[in-house]
Amino acid sequence: MTSSRHILYTILYLCIFGASCAKPFETRSNTSTIRSHSFSTKPRGQKQNLAFAFPNPIAIIDRDFKALTRKVTAYHILLPKSDEVAISLKQKIRNKVNPAQDSNKEPMYVVDAFKAAARKFSQDEETAVRDGLLGTLVPQGYCRAKELDEACFQVPLGVISGPIESEYGYHLLLVEERTNCPKLDGNFNKIMKGSDGYSTVFTNDSEKSNEVAKVAIQQVGFWIAVSLAGGVVAEISAKAATVITKLPWE
């Protein structure tokens, strides 16, 4: 009997705890600006509100949205750790894209020039046979080299970037397409070859944008459902807490 009573008390305690945390959590959105610094401004020894330990649904939506929709199509060239070699090759590719006017050489599309250099010079045998292709619309975290992976979502679209140093060597990088980086890319998320065969055209792939919007709606819908479910649980917990005053053995 004692064991059963202890179990019941434990369940009721958890219900009361859930009810006590529900109200601060519900009102947090109205006081987030004031409470955001609460941990740093409160004197030591003063009790902290445990509701602040709960994750912010908006922050979770933003994090998951970016993680699920940030994708990139990029090429790289792996070189020895030599600034001179990396910068020299980078300039050679640029010269093929924009040859001197008195050279009588036809300009090349930047992706074509980069691919040709990757096939010839890249020390990454796995990607060199694919013209240096790291992946087509691969998610953030796909590359083994952390520095290269981060650069895929930091360098400008359609620009030969680097050298980027990693444990493998120096990398030259070219991003052809990227999703969900509006602050970096603006209204354009992809480059294409122009009708002249060599110029770079910046475009917006509406199909990818629709896919991003669809995922965003799904995420928002999911967290709305979680919030509603949390409200129901809190209400049940609050009602269950009143049972303590009605227990027959109290």
Side-chain angles (χ1 to χ4, degrees):
M1 180 66 181
T2 303
S3 177
S4 299
R5 183 178 296 183
H6 286 168
I7 293 173
L8 180 58
Y9 275 138
T10 302
I11 295 173
L12 291 174
Y13 173 78
L14 292 174
C15 291
I16 294 169
F17 178 77
S20 65
C21 291
K23 187 174 181 180
F25 180 72
E26 290 170 355
T27 58
R28 188 174 69 175
S29 59
N30 297 327
T31 58
S32 58
T33 303
I34 297 173
R35 294 182 176 182
S36 60
H37 302 289
S38 59
F39 287 113
S40 60
T41 57
K42 284 187 177 181
R44 289 186 177 181
Q46 188 171 349
K47 292 183 179 179
Q48 303 291 352
N49 193 331
L50 293 178
F52 290 116
F54 294 157
N56 184 344
I58 301 301
I60 293 174
I61 291 172
D62 182 65
R63 181 198 66 195
D64 291 349
F65 172 76
K66 290 178 179 177
L68 290 170
T69 59
R70 273 186 177 170
K71 298 180 180 180
V72 68
T73 299
Y75 303 82
H76 90 122
I77 300 173
L78 177 63
L79 300 168
K81 287 190 176 183
S82 167
D83 288 329
E84 184 178 354
V85 171
I87 293 173
S88 175
L89 179 58
K90 182 178 180 179
Q91 189 57 50
K92 285 182 179 179
I93 300 172
R94 285 176 170 175
N95 291 341
K96 288 184 177 295
V97 177
N98 296 299
Q101 293 182 353
D102 57 354
S103 65
N104 296 322
K105 294 182 179 180
E106 291 291 330
M108 290 182 67
Y109 176 48
V110 62
V111 177
D112 292 341
F114 196 92
K115 285 181 177 181
R119 287 194 301 270
K120 187 174 182 180
F121 299 108
S122 182
Q123 294 188 343
D124 182 355
E125 297 179 358
E126 182 181 348
T127 60
V129 295
R130 303 197 306 264
D131 300 334
L133 179 66
L134 288 168
T136 302
L137 288 179
V138 293
Q140 193 165 10
Y142 178 82
C143 296
R144 288 193 297 267
K146 179 182 176 182
E147 298 82 0
L148 184 62
D149 188 77
E150 291 176 350
C152 285
F153 297 90
Q154 294 174 352
V155 304
L157 192 68
V159 175
I160 302 170
S161 303
I164 301 158
E165 184 177 7
S166 77
E167 61 178 304
Y168 301 99
Y170 279 2
H171 307 260
L172 296 182
L173 177 66
L174 177 66
V175 174
E176 183 179 30
E177 183 177 7
R178 184 166 48 205
T179 62
N180 195 30
C181 289
K183 290 184 179 180
L184 184 59
D185 300 330
N187 296 325
F188 305 102
N189 67 345
K190 184 178 182 179
I191 60 170
M192 297 179 64
K193 186 185 297 186
S195 57
D196 54 14
Y198 59 85
S199 62
T200 300
V201 177
F202 289 82
T203 65
N204 185 352
D205 194 329
S206 58
E207 183 177 346
K208 299 294 187 310
S209 300
N210 291 336
E211 180 183 346
V212 168
K214 183 178 179 181
V215 173
I217 291 172
Q218 290 173 346
Q219 286 291 300
V220 171
F222 170 77
W223 282 108
I224 288 175
V226 169
S227 299
L228 290 175
V232 172
V233 171
E235 184 178 353
I236 293 173
S237 300
K239 289 180 179 179
T242 62
V243 175
I244 288 181
T245 61
K246 301 177 183 179
L247 291 176
W249 55 78
E250 286 295 328

